[in-house]
Amino acid sequence: MVYCLLVWVLLVLVSGSMGLALLNRIAAEGFGRLSDRAITAVWLGLILLAVTLQAVSLFYPLSPLVGLTVALVLGALAVALPSTRITLTALLQRISGITLIGGLGLVVGMALLTVKPVRWVESTFYHYTAIRWLSEFGTVSGLALIRKNLGITSTWFALNAPLNGGAIAFRAGSLLNGFILCVALLHFLICLSRWRSGQARLSDRFKVGFFLLFLGYLAVAKEMQLILVSPSPDLPIALLVEVVSWSILVVAESTPQKSHIQSAIIPLILAVGAVTIKLSALPLWVVASLFYGFQSRWSLRHLLIGGTAIAILLLSTVLTGYTISGCPLYPSDLFCLNVPWSLSVGETQQFANETQSLTEWYGSPPAEQNTHLWLFWQWLKGRTLNQVMAFLVIVSGVCSLYLGWTFNNKRHTGKIWLLALGILGILFIISKGPLIRFGIGYLLVLPALTIAVWSEISLPKKFTEIELIFKNSKHPLERVKLPVILIFACSLGLAVIINPSSLQAYWLLPPNLRASVTTQQQVNGIDYFISSQGGCSASPLPCVKKVPSNVELKEPILGLKGGFVRTAH
């Protein structure tokens, strides 16, 4: 737990400084409130740090020393800017003693909840393996040839790699997911304090509604609880859907019009950063790009700025994809190259079908049955979470009708963009892999926006009067005292009740990985470690479920670092 807390402090300082430097450089005045600026800065900094580490992995292994060096250099460059130091000073002056104590309780409670063994099957199957390759060897050419899942690249894996290597021995898999949930919870408390003080904007109400719905889902869904305690990129995507949506509302609410143009690139950067984490964020990119274009009135200068930002953020992902699998959007075969270290088009398409096609999941329907209806019924009765997803789709449809009825072109123009995001995201997830963990963020956008809009236009007067009682507080960070004190006690108490062993067994370091039973086999000069169950978390590299017969070392003198190619015969 101590290791977790130390890394979280470092992440806040480094990512916060980097994000503030970017916000000040862009002159994003739409994020004028200091707490909004700080939360946005942390998310921006995390994305920039993750993208930078992925780029570094093309040349060096992401060992703890390399990761720390990159973080300190970027953090130092950010703090060297006078504007960053001024904003950091203002933030420190706004944090009172009681807020600091409450925040400490929140952080410790979250650490106790998340510092426990990783049990999420996807992480034991390939997330950990991808992270270990990055930490020990960096980006390795042709890695998808020995295990198709390893062709899926993610900057989230690159950000995890230096935090898990060395003496930590890849134990801290839940560290980053716990951190971003802690940031999201802090943001929720700030927005909640504004709501109860009568100073909440639509963006604040949306944040409160979304996070309450997400916490409700987290409380009842065992799957999402397992994802939280893992290095899975599904959690950051869900939270980034909310952050991008919130930032669109913040920009739409800001005045004057000039601040819209300068600030509109922030949702775009966040959305593109989400795409580098996982391709399920593509609807975010589409909506954020259109939003940026409309806010800038399709000015050629601003389009060039936005295009440059997108290119810079995506460059490392494209290069990593070509290096590992020959495909920048793997498992999609779009823009794939036929190179010695790439999978064949047929293999790539087959793997994509295995992850996306209902026919691959449930087989072919009987001859007399309608294909689509039969597949839908098989999917619906397959898991309880599928039924929950279907329910949320229906709820989102009802919410979209309500939102359309309440539209007012003169106020809150950001609503139409969130409506588009919710609908597009749901359609995308249904078509590309109808699993609720892929699309929970999109499924909550419209219900959360409905809560925000309804509370603004229909909330009974007595609740508004209660809000106004607290209006005399000086600053948002001071108005958060009561919620923070409550969360201090609740988080610590809940953490100790749910995970009491953390205090005794994991007070210094996270738990060890579960050992995998493997056998060893040499093929074409490569020593493979075979896991019959597919889990390779704690196994030596290269660990596979099935040994490929047509793969050899690309440069035998370099060993595994040199990469892999298809055999010539």
Side-chain angles (χ1 to χ4, degrees), residues 455-472:
S455 66
E456 191 171 58
I457 65 177
S458 305
L459 201 63
K461 185 179 179 181
K462 62 179 180 179
F463 286 99
T464 304
E465 292 172 351
I466 292 173
E467 289 178 353
L468 295 176
I469 294 174
F470 300 94
K471 197 171 183 179
N472 293 327

Side-chain angles (χ1 to χ4, degrees), residues 218-550:
L218 180 62
V220 300
K222 181 67 173 178
E223 180 181 82
M224 187 54 68
Q225 294 169 17
L226 292 173
I227 288 173
L228 169 62
V229 188
S230 79
S232 171
D234 290 326
L235 182 66
I237 293 301
L239 295 180
L240 276 167
V241 169
E242 178 269 314
V243 173
V244 172
S245 302
W246 169 82
S247 64
I248 287 175
L249 291 176
V250 169
V251 174
E253 293 166 342
S254 62
T255 53
Q257 178 65 28
K258 182 180 179 181
S259 66
H260 289 217
I261 299 174
Q262 297 295 110
S263 303
I265 198 171
I266 299 302
L268 179 61
I269 293 173
L270 292 168
V272 178
V275 171
T276 68
I277 293 175
K278 193 165 185 175
L279 292 179
S280 58
L282 283 172
L284 273 182
W285 182 11
V286 172
V287 173
S289 297
L290 291 173
F291 176 73
Y292 177 74
F294 275 95
Q295 293 299 316
S296 63
R297 298 181 180 178
W298 305 104
S299 160
L300 180 60
R301 173 176 172 270
H302 287 98
L303 291 179
L304 287 174
I305 293 173
T308 302
I310 292 172
I312 292 173
L313 290 170
L314 289 180
L315 181 60
S316 65
T317 295
V318 170
L319 293 177
T320 301
Y322 276 129
T323 302
I324 290 179
S325 66
C327 301
L329 302 176
Y330 184 88
S332 169
D333 60 355
L334 194 64
F335 306 122
C336 287
L337 296 178
N338 183 19
V339 289
W341 59 87
S342 65
L343 291 167
S344 66
V345 173
E347 289 176 305
T348 302
Q349 291 175 340
Q350 176 61 29
F351 180 68
N353 288 335
E354 290 173 1
T355 59
Q356 300 173 6
S357 173
L358 289 179
T359 304
E360 289 287 336
W361 296 359
Y362 301 109
S364 300
E368 69 278 5
Q369 295 283 336
N370 179 280
T371 300
H372 298 295
L373 290 178
W374 185 86
L375 287 174
F376 171 74
W377 178 246
Q378 298 304 312
W379 170 82
L380 186 64
K381 69 179 184 179
R383 297 194 316 160
T384 302
L385 285 179
N386 291 348
Q387 298 162 24
V388 174
M389 181 176 176
F391 172 75
L392 288 175
V393 170
I394 295 172
V395 170
S396 294
V398 174
C399 290
S400 66
L401 295 177
Y402 172 80
L403 292 169
W405 176 69
T406 61
F407 268 172
N408 183 333
N409 292 330
K410 296 181 180 179
R411 297 185 63 220
H412 305 315
T413 56
K415 289 194 299 184
I416 193 170
W417 296 106
L418 268 62
L419 180 63
L421 175 59
I423 294 173
L424 182 61
I426 290 171
L427 293 176
F428 180 80
I429 295 302
I430 289 176
S431 64
K432 291 298 182 180
L435 292 177
I436 193 169
R437 62 186 173 91
F438 294 158
I440 184 61
Y442 301 121
L443 291 165
L444 298 183
V445 166
L446 297 181
L449 183 59
T450 299
I451 291 172
V453 172
W454 175 83
S455 66
E456 191 171 58
I457 65 177
S458 305
L459 201 63
K461 185 179 179 181
K462 62 179 180 179
F463 286 99
T464 304
E465 292 172 351
I466 292 173
E467 289 178 353
L468 295 176
I469 294 174
F470 300 94
K471 197 171 183 179
N472 293 327
S473 298
K474 294 180 180 179
H475 302 298
L477 286 179
E478 292 179 356
R479 292 195 297 271
V480 84
K481 287 180 181 179
L482 180 59
V484 165
I485 293 172
L486 291 175
I487 208 68
F488 175 85
C490 293
S491 60
L492 281 179
L494 187 62
V496 172
I497 292 171
I498 294 178
N499 197 25
S501 60
S502 296
L503 284 174
Q504 298 176 354
Y506 313 136
W507 68 272
L508 180 60
L509 293 175
N512 287 315
L513 291 177
R514 179 186 295 177
S516 303
V517 178
T518 60
T519 58
Q520 192 170 354
Q521 181 180 349
Q522 186 180 86
V523 177
N524 295 331
I526 305 173
D527 291 318
Y528 292 98
F529 295 87
I530 307 165
S531 171
S532 59
Q533 300 299 318
C536 290
S537 300
S539 304
L541 300 177
C543 178
V544 297
K545 185 176 182 180
K546 181 180 178 182
V547 175
S549 59
N550 62 337

Side-chain angles (χ1 to χ4, degrees), residues 115-128:
V115 177
K116 52 186 177 180
V118 174
R119 296 287 185 260
W120 177 232
V121 62
E122 291 288 327
S123 295
T124 58
F125 189 68
Y126 86 94
H127 295 163
Y128 260 125

